[in-house]
Amino acid sequence: MSKDKTLTVPDLGDFADVEVIEVLVKVGDTLQVEDPVVTLETDKATMDVPASEAGTVCKLRVKAGDRISQGDAVLDYVADSAGAASDSVTDKSGAKASPAVAAPAAQSPQAKPAASGDATHTTELVVIGAGPGGYTAAFRAADLGMEVTLVERWPILGGVCLNVGCIPSKALLHAAKVIDEAEAMASHGVQFGKPKIDALKLRDWKNEVVGKLTGGLTQLAKQRKVKVLHGVASFQSANRLELDSGETIDFEKCIIAAGSESAMIPGLPDDERIVDSTGALELHPLPKRMLVVGGGIIGLEMACVYAALGTRVSVVELTDSLMPGTDKDLLRPFRKIIDQRYEAIMLGTKVTGMRATTPGIEVSFEGEGAPDKEVYDRVLVAVGRRANGDKLKAENAGVNVDERGIIKVDKQMRSNVPHIFAIGDLAGGPMLAHKATHEAKVAAEVAHGAKVAFDARTIPSVAYTDPEIAWCGLTETDAKKDGVDFEKIQIPWAASGRALSLGRSEGFTKLLFDKHTGRVLGGGIVGPNAGDLIAEVGLAVEMGADAADISLTIHPHPTLSETIAFAAEGFDGSLTDLYMPRKKR
């Protein structure tokens, strides 16, 4: 007779003391392998604890509202005698096969390389890189029923975005926003003392935010039975990868999502006071004086952080404008604020050299009005990013990679080798996580056999500076250059009750319309939460909406989103919050 067995909580990644929100079985219920028995809820997601083998429930050990951790008992059950009778099962031909419950040791991330001629691992689909593009591709393919292996070179999933990019920088930008807003309230009758900055504690909080997301990814991979291997991958052939551990992976299809890395200026001194964006996130020790080399979005976001934390910040940019390619009118409110906050903004200026000295990094400049030399406690080099397509020995698989590390793909994200796909930063186009995730789903679905393609009309861009700057669709600069017959409606946030109540009336919302059809061609927003607001403009462009579609949609009041409706009303002549005579068309 079978003895009672106990089902315990499996590994939950970084989560512990998780709440049971629902018990899905009762005493006497029959269980099959993978049947859900309880539902748990973390601050990241809900998850089911599955049955590990078939049997019958004889005792429940938990109830809704209990909090449990890895190893805690969930229920007792009597295992099916058929399931416990043998350590192996027999297929219809009579041959013995390995049991389904336990994976062979060779499939674990720590497995040793197989004998010559045999791959350590085999899989239907392998995904290289576990950033937003990579993990999205892996999870989507697994949801479609594919056998998926995800390869990540770093010990933690999430890639640059979650670990040392989008997420940690936004956490620090939130801290900067709180500091700036507290200071601004002094002129409205609410005064706070000068903030005391504990850089190490702030860094720990930032790391905690990152850990919640990356730990959630580990759990999501387990739930989907995605095999995760850690190591640096390179192609041996069109159907085999090799890891730096010596392990090999034979695959039927591959999605390359290996991302990009910070570009550095050649010939710089090897000095810890010269950092890239990853190093800048470490904060400690906070410099008294810092130079940001590069006036793009990444550099300007970190400049906002350090300025709020009390560092005297200077920015140097080779071109004649910050955020090159952005409509100049979107930059004006931003410039008015940072001109007061930053020590210097040097445009059209070249950094001709750096020298490490005891007092700091001595930087030489060349440009009209620029100083000859200045010394800084820290220098952040943020001159762009370079794709990693040429770091995978892709030529061994016959995949074409250009001199910039970009792998050219078609609309189905296929490279020139049909069963090998590329997505994200190394597939060309803007290096944005939200672009990568959409490309990832296309690649995964095509790999599974679907007839789909990447056909986005617009990809929004956002600078999470203060104020935020966001745009999508056709820009005013490009519209003028291309001779597009458009009409611009610009709504100053001084007309927004919500903006005034926030003390942030410096921003504006502008939409570009086709002058003849009223169709929304693009738009730009500058001000707090512009990155959230731009989604409505993106939807309008994607759906081919016209001014009436937006103006007839009731927007809540008072909100910043009303400014988008005001712009549409301005085009169709129904705006009452401003006096804007209707133009003859």
Side-chain angles (χ1 to χ4, degrees):
M1 184 175 180
S2 298
K3 295 182 178 180
D4 291 357
K5 293 186 175 183
T6 300
L7 175 68
T8 60
V9 179
D11 182 7
L12 298 176
D14 292 335
F15 298 109
D17 193 32
V18 179
E19 183 180 1
V20 178
I21 61 171
E22 187 176 5
V23 178
L24 304 173
V25 296
K26 60 183 183 298
V27 174
D29 282 357
T30 300
L31 302 176
Q32 300 299 324
V33 176
E34 297 299 324
D35 280 354
V37 296
V38 295
T39 300
L40 310 179
E41 184 175 60
T42 71
D43 54 2
K44 171 66 178 175
T46 59
M47 63 186 78
D48 292 332
V49 173
S52 57
E53 63 178 322
T56 302
V57 179
C58 60
K59 183 179 181 180
L60 295 175
R61 299 286 197 99
V62 296
K63 63 183 182 301
D66 288 350
R67 305 191 76 87
I68 56 180
S69 300
Q70 180 181 351
D72 289 347
V74 175
L75 57 79
D76 294 338
Y77 65 99
V78 177
D80 282 358
S81 57
S86 174
D87 290 334
S88 62
V89 295
T90 304
D91 65 19
K92 293 182 180 179
S93 66
K96 284 193 173 183
S98 299
V101 175
Q107 292 190 4
S108 72
Q110 295 79 25
K112 296 180 179 180
S116 178
D118 295 325
T120 317
H121 310 278
T122 59
T123 188
E124 183 179 5
L125 173 69
V126 65
V127 180
I128 305 174
Y135 72 71
T136 298
F139 294 171
R140 179 64 180 134
D143 289 346
L144 291 169
M146 298 185 76
E147 178 195 21
V148 181
T149 297
L150 179 60
V151 180
E152 170 54 45
R153 60 175 173 167
W154 302 117
I156 302 173
L157 304 184
V160 168
C161 179
L162 268 66
N163 288 286
V164 292
C166 318
I167 302 305
S169 64
K170 303 311 167 285
L172 296 179
L173 282 162
H174 172 67
K177 179 182 179 182
V178 171
I179 294 171
D180 291 337
E181 289 184 344
E183 182 180 351
M185 285 303 296
S187 62
H188 304 308
V190 180
Q191 295 188 23
F192 300 89
K194 184 178 180 181
K196 296 179 180 179
I197 308 299
D198 185 337
L200 289 176
K201 193 169 184 179
L202 182 58
R203 184 179 67 185
D204 290 344
W205 170 71
K206 176 260 299 181
N207 292 339
E208 182 182 340
V209 171
V210 170
K212 288 179 179 180
L213 287 172
T214 57
L217 289 180
T218 300
Q219 181 62 28
L220 289 172
K222 288 180 180 178
Q223 289 175 321
R224 289 178 163 88
K225 296 181 174 55
V226 172
K227 183 195 300 181
V228 178
L229 303 177
H230 293 279
V232 178
S234 60
F235 285 92
Q236 277 193 351
S237 69
N239 290 96
R240 175 171 286 196
L241 290 177
E242 181 178 20
L243 305 186
D244 54 355
S245 63
E247 297 175 80
T248 53
I249 307 168
D250 279 356
F251 60 86
E252 297 176 22
K253 296 173 182 177
C254 175
I255 297 176
I256 305 173
S260 62
E261 292 183 349
S262 296
M264 289 298 286
I265 300 172
L268 296 182
D270 184 10
D271 191 288
E272 63 181 7
R273 293 169 294 182
I274 301 174
V275 299
D276 60 10
S277 58
T278 299
L281 291 168
E282 292 304 301
L283 297 181
H284 187 75
L286 281 175
K288 293 181 179 179
R289 196 167 188 235
M290 183 171 81
L291 174 69
V292 177
V293 181
I297 290 176
I298 294 174
L300 291 173
E301 287 182 350
M302 293 311 301
C304 282
V305 170
Y306 275 86
L309 296 178
T311 297
R312 288 184 292 145
V313 174
S314 294
V315 178
V316 58
E317 165 60 37
L318 184 60
T319 69
D320 63 356
S321 175
L322 297 176
M323 297 187 205
T326 307
D327 282 347
K328 292 187 182 298
D329 60 344
L330 292 174
L331 292 170
R332 289 191 193 108
F334 175 61
R335 278 300 303 266
K336 287 181 181 179
I337 289 178
I338 65 172
D339 282 347
Q340 300 173 26
R341 292 180 179 174
Y342 296 176
E343 185 174 23
I345 299 174
M346 298 170 277
L347 301 179
T349 301
K350 181 179 181 181
V351 172
T352 57
M354 294 188 198
R355 188 170 69 91
T357 68
T358 301
I361 303 299
E362 183 183 87
V363 183
S364 301
F365 301 97
E366 181 183 289
E368 185 178 350
D372 181 40
K373 293 178 182 178
E374 290 284 347
V375 177
Y376 300 92
D377 302 313
R378 188 168 303 163
V379 175
L380 164 59
V381 179
V383 293
R385 300 188 63 81
R386 191 182 186 284
N388 288 331
D390 56 357
K391 297 183 178 180
L392 305 166
K393 298 183 180 179
E395 66 275 8
N396 292 341
V399 175
N400 294 333
V401 184
D402 71 14
E403 68 281 357
R404 301 169 298 150
I406 300 293
I407 298 173
K408 186 177 180 180
V409 295
D410 62 17
K411 287 189 174 183
Q412 292 192 309
M413 311 314 299
R414 295 183 191 269
S415 71
N416 61 299
V417 179
H419 68 280
I420 298 178
F421 304 77
I423 62 173
D425 290 0
L426 52 68
M431 293 184 174
L432 298 169
H434 45 280
K435 163 184 165 285
T437 57
H438 279 258
E439 291 176 336
K441 292 180 180 180
V442 170
E445 290 166 10
V446 173
H448 185 252
K451 294 182 179 180
V452 296
F454 184 75
D455 188 28
R457 286 181 174 174
T458 182
I459 301 171
S461 293
V462 182
Y464 295 92
T465 48
D466 181 24
E468 291 183 9
I469 302 172
W471 66 96
C472 69
L474 185 67
T475 65
E476 187 175 355
T477 302
D478 287 341
K480 290 177 179 177
K481 183 180 66 176
D482 297 339
V484 176
D485 196 9
F486 73 97
E487 183 174 328
K488 177 179 78 171
I489 302 294
Q490 184 165 309
I491 303 297
W493 280 17
S496 165
R498 181 60 172 158
L500 291 170
S501 70
L502 292 171
R504 297 301 300 267
S505 60
E506 77 276 2
F508 65 82
T509 297
K510 72 170 179 179
L511 295 184
L512 305 185
F513 300 92
D514 183 296
K515 187 174 286 187
H516 305 287
T517 66
R519 184 171 172 175
V520 181
L521 302 176
I525 304 173
V526 55
N529 302 318
D532 298 304
L533 297 170
I534 200 65
E536 181 178 357
V537 183
L539 179 62
V541 173
E542 189 68 36
M543 296 190 67
D546 61 17
D549 292 320
I550 296 176
S551 65
L552 294 176
T553 299
I554 299 176
H555 290 64
H557 172 79
T559 62
L560 297 174
S561 68
E562 286 178 294
T563 62
I564 299 173
F566 291 166
E569 291 172 351
F571 179 84
D572 66 23
S574 62
L575 178 63
T576 56
D577 289 77
L578 285 171
Y579 179 65
M580 191 175 289
R582 186 166 185 171
K583 296 180 181 179
K584 294 181 179 180
R585 301 186 184 95

